[in-house]
Amino acid sequence: LRIIASIPDISAFETRAQFCAVCGMHALGQDGKKLCKGEIPPNSRGGFPRKKRGVICDWKPTLRQALYLFDDQLNRNSESVWGAKRKAIKAVYRVKHPVPVEEVLEGGRKVKRYTDGHIQNMARWKVLNKFCRFLFAELKRLDKQLSEDEGQLGKVA
């Protein structure tokens, strides 16, 4: 309910990407800026937005928080439809990255990638992005159906 209440008018969005951006579940390019239409997210050093200096935070905070709470429920109820999807995504990531890897970044800073926490966060972002895309499609379908039903009522009256 919190997610639905936080969504502005769905007819204001033309594409899934616009909706995902308002949700805060869009991909960023290597420079930390939104990707252009048709641009493919980079495999290295891109990612999802977070509040930090130099990144524009133009998502709706209440909606993003509601999505995080939804993800928390998916983690607790892994037998639900979306919980099972999240669990499957984690399993795929764990098979793809069986052990943590230590990388040295520019400047000599060392970071560990693909730890259990990193896999958890990767799965969170992926499933929430998929959920936002699903939600957009369903809301658009319902909006279209409602407008058709209103048209039918106008003809009858």
Side-chain angles (χ1 to χ4, degrees):
L1 183 61
R2 194 174 195 175
I3 293 171
I4 300 297
S6 299
I7 295 173
D9 182 19
I10 196 67
S11 62
F13 305 106
E14 293 178 21
T15 64
R16 287 186 316 207
Q18 289 175 342
F19 180 71
C20 286
V22 168
C23 295
M25 297 295 145
H26 56 287
L28 296 175
Q30 290 179 331
D31 56 359
K33 296 186 175 144
K34 285 184 187 177
L35 297 172
C36 297
K37 187 173 182 178
E39 189 177 354
I40 299 171
N43 289 334
S44 60
R45 308 307 305 148
F48 287 94
R50 51 193 172 139
K51 283 193 174 185
K52 63 180 185 177
R53 191 179 323 164
V55 176
I56 297 170
C57 303
D58 57 353
W59 57 79
K60 196 165 179 165
T62 54
L63 182 52
R64 188 163 159 144
Q65 182 184 34
L67 288 167
Y68 273 103
L69 292 172
F70 174 67
D71 178 70
D72 183 51
Q73 292 303 310
L74 297 181
N75 195 30
R76 295 169 193 266
N77 303 314
S78 60
E79 301 308 315
S80 67
V81 173
W82 284 95
K85 288 181 184 191
R86 185 182 195 280
K87 198 174 179 180
I89 290 169
K90 277 177 66 173
V92 168
Y93 281 143
R94 187 43 74 199
V95 168
K96 189 174 180 182
H97 308 287
V99 293
V101 176
E102 191 170 290
E103 290 181 6
V104 179
L105 300 177
E106 294 175 18
R109 192 175 122 221
K110 295 180 182 178
V111 292
K112 281 191 174 181
R113 301 217 188 272
Y114 311 119
T115 61
D116 289 340
H118 191 224
I119 297 285
Q120 178 88 348
N121 285 333
M122 288 168 56
R124 170 186 296 136
W125 283 108
K126 180 125 182 169
V127 78
L128 288 178
N129 186 281
K130 283 182 176 239
F131 178 74
C132 285
R133 291 166 36 179
F134 164 79
L135 186 60
F136 174 76
E138 286 299 304
L139 290 174
K140 277 294 202 182
R141 183 185 62 77
L142 286 172
D143 189 46
K144 183 179 177 185
Q145 185 178 1
L146 278 173
S147 63
E148 287 173 358
D149 290 347
E150 286 174 1
Q152 295 289 337
L153 287 174
K155 289 178 184 177
V156 172

